[in-house]
Amino acid sequence: QKANGFPSNKSSGSKKQKQQQRIRKEKPQQHNFTHRLLAAALKSHSGNISCMDFSSNGKYLATCADDRTVRIWSTKDFLQREHRSMRANVELDHATLVRFSPDCRAFIVWLANGDTLRVFKMTKREDGGYTFTATSEDFPKKHKAPVIDIGIADTGKFIMTASSDTTVLIWSLKGQVLSTINTNQMNNTHAAVSPCGRFVASCGFTPDVKVWEVCFGKKGEFQEVARAFELKGHSAAVHSFAFSNDSRRMASVSKDGTWKLWDTDVEYKKQQDPYLLRTGRFEEAAGAALCRLALSPDAQVLALASDSSIHLYNTRRGEKEECFERVHGECIADLSFDITGRFLASCGDRAVRLFHNTPGHRAVVEEMQGLLKRASNDSTRQRLQQQLTQAQEALKSLGALKK
């Protein structure tokens, strides 16, 4: 009876006890965290959040949790007292991964039990809200191992899914497999599509990050997936990596206890390798089972998360600038800068926490001061001074201006 979901005969007496147990269980789960640089905590999910994605127009943040919902938050509310969110229900399943489409009119999710991709269309209502409708058919099941990452090219030409074996699949938006990549990295720990939409990259048990170009013809027809370049230099497995907003920089973090910043703006067709720009120490990565990484859009700041703590580094000098400890009640599941680079978002328990990116403002101050010394004409000087003042004002308002 119990297995079929029917109450057993003893139910009436134990109902109250069960309710009390439930209340007792739920109370300690809300993790409290305060910090002077905490900009906001987004709380609406009743389950742990596993993934988030900022829309390319900068207006929305999507989060998915094991409470069978996807929530869409408005980024303009981040600094308000109230954080409104719109809810999309995932029928009879929950989403583990979520990504916005480039036109921000749809999002895709990976289903935990269905083991497949589902597409949700977002239709604007007259009252300004959205109606979310799942398309009639989910993608066919092709992966043999659990899927760890998904992505959509900003060009709108393909979707990428990667599983924990060595498989990365490239799909058309209609759900046809265009290409199967074997990463030969023993297992995949992370995979991503570059912001420019040309590349797909993966890392895993081997000490490198492999990057492929997904090639299309003049008329937009798929041609092939070709090896582009590799990031070589770590001496142990790579936990994770990220691209800068213009895809010209990449960062990686490895079990060898280091992070590296790379210049990937190279002519790889002429066999030119990426340049290593900086190596920094991150001892926590050596013993961690999982380590998350986010690179600010301008590649000036690197955020690294292990367990439930976040560390922010200045990539130019390689110095650690901020450290947030015990941010979530669980391990940090996802880490991401918003597209302006003003905020860093993290998730793991039921809340998304947003931090002010003070190292980003400091990097702008340093850069503008350097450029001002070399500025040759007045209009350039004025523009640089304006940016410098803005960054200094931002730091001042956060009480983070270095004397």
Side-chain angles (χ1 to χ4, degrees):
Q1 275 185 321
K2 257 190 183 164
N4 290 331
F6 294 116
S8 60
N9 300 337
K10 303 197 295 281
S11 69
S12 54
S14 61
K15 233 181 200 169
K16 265 191 182 156
Q17 290 171 329
K18 270 190 181 155
Q19 276 176 335
Q20 282 173 336
Q21 276 177 341
R22 198 174 292 146
I23 292 165
R24 234 177 263 141
K25 252 187 207 160
E26 281 176 6
K27 271 199 174 148
Q29 285 178 348
Q30 205 63 15
H31 178 73
N32 277 329
F33 171 82
T34 52
H35 194 280
R36 63 186 172 80
L37 295 180
L38 182 68
L42 311 181
K43 298 174 182 176
S44 277
H45 279 292
S46 59
N48 288 344
I49 302 164
S50 57
C51 183
M52 49 191 184
D53 189 40
F54 283 99
S55 61
S56 57
N57 61 9
K59 288 183 182 177
Y60 303 108
L61 169 68
T63 55
C64 65
D66 55 18
D67 59 7
R68 297 187 172 184
T69 67
V70 174
R71 288 192 177 266
I72 311 286
W73 309 80
S74 176
T75 55
K76 66 174 191 292
D77 292 347
F78 282 176
L79 296 177
Q80 308 298 322
R81 288 189 66 172
E82 294 288 313
H83 304 117
R84 293 187 312 251
S85 69
M86 299 175 285
R87 187 180 78 192
N89 294 323
V90 182
E91 293 296 321
L92 305 173
D93 210 328
H94 72 268
T96 53
L97 300 161
V98 61
R99 289 287 175 264
F100 274 110
S101 66
D103 63 4
C104 309
R105 288 185 191 159
F107 60 85
I108 60 170
V109 298
W110 185 262
L111 300 176
N113 304 326
D115 264 339
T116 184
L117 270 181
R118 180 170 291 173
V119 181
F120 282 86
K121 293 254 166 46
M122 298 166 60
T123 333
K124 202 155 198 170
R125 296 196 306 261
E126 281 178 13
D127 63 2
Y130 278 93
T131 305
F132 305 107
T133 19
T135 50
S136 55
E137 277 192 28
D138 295 335
F139 275 34
K141 290 186 187 185
K142 295 287 182 188
H143 282 282
K144 294 182 174 69
V147 163
I148 52 163
D149 279 299
I150 61 174
I152 308 185
D154 218 35
T155 52
K157 288 182 179 171
F158 68 89
I159 287 173
M160 178 272 318
T161 57
S163 49
S164 62
D165 48 11
T166 59
T167 311
V168 174
L169 294 181
I170 304 297
W171 305 75
S172 75
L173 269 64
K174 296 269 188 286
Q176 291 168 303
V177 174
L178 300 173
S179 182
T180 304
I181 302 169
N182 177 2
T183 63
N184 288 322
Q185 287 169 317
M186 304 279 281
N187 62 349
N188 299 334
T189 52
H190 181 60
V193 180
S194 63
C196 64
R198 280 175 62 196
F199 304 110
V200 164
S202 83
C203 67
F205 187 72
T206 54
D208 51 15
V209 177
K210 291 181 179 169
V211 184
W212 291 265
E213 184 178 2
V214 184
C215 308
F216 288 85
K218 291 258 172 18
K219 293 177 184 150
E221 76 286 2
F222 171 74
Q223 287 181 326
E224 61 164 352
V225 173
R227 285 291 284 275
F229 52 86
E230 290 179 13
L231 306 182
K232 294 199 219 44
H234 283 296
S235 58
V238 178
H239 281 294
S240 192
F241 64 87
F243 291 90
S244 65
N245 208 23
D246 58 8
S247 306
R248 290 176 173 182
R249 296 279 183 276
M250 283 178 78
S252 56
V253 62
S254 158
K255 273 192 188 267
D256 63 12
T258 68
W259 58 263
K260 291 181 186 290
L261 182 75
W262 312 80
D263 177 351
T264 51
D265 190 15
V266 293
E267 293 193 48
Y268 55 89
K269 285 182 177 146
K270 296 180 181 172
Q271 269 59 58
Q272 196 180 358
D273 285 327
Y275 298 103
L276 178 63
L277 298 173
R278 167 127 1 257
T279 300
R281 298 294 306 162
F282 184 57
E283 303 295 347
E284 289 87 341
L290 203 66
C291 193
R292 300 283 176 198
L293 174 152
L295 187 60
S296 66
D298 59 6
Q300 299 273 17
V301 184
L302 178 67
L304 293 165
S306 82
D307 205 13
S308 61
S309 299
I310 301 171
H311 309 259
L312 296 186
Y313 288 83
N314 170 305
T315 56
R316 193 180 292 179
R317 295 190 312 275
E319 291 169 11
K320 188 192 287 194
E321 293 214 357
E322 300 288 353
C323 179
F324 311 125
E325 288 183 345
R326 290 190 291 281
V327 178
H328 295 280
E330 307 276 337
C331 278
I332 289 169
D334 204 358
L335 199 60
S336 176
F337 284 92
D338 77 319
I339 64 163
T340 63
R342 282 171 55 212
F343 299 109
L344 171 70
S346 71
C347 67
D349 49 22
R350 298 173 181 193
V352 172
R353 303 203 193 275
L354 293 154
F355 294 92
H356 291 286
N357 178 15
T358 46
H361 294 308
R362 281 192 210 111
V364 170
V365 169
E366 278 175 41
E367 193 181 10
M368 294 308 142
Q369 284 171 337
L371 289 170
L372 268 168
K373 284 174 190 161
R374 299 194 296 274
S376 50
N377 60 27
D378 279 352
S379 64
T380 311
R381 227 179 250 121
Q382 249 174 330
R383 189 171 50 84
L384 295 173
Q385 188 58 55
Q386 194 182 350
Q387 284 173 279
L388 174 63
T389 312
Q390 269 178 339
Q392 283 171 328
E393 287 298 318
L395 285 169
K396 203 172 173 182
S397 68
L398 298 168
L401 195 57
K402 283 187 175 167
K403 298 286 182 281

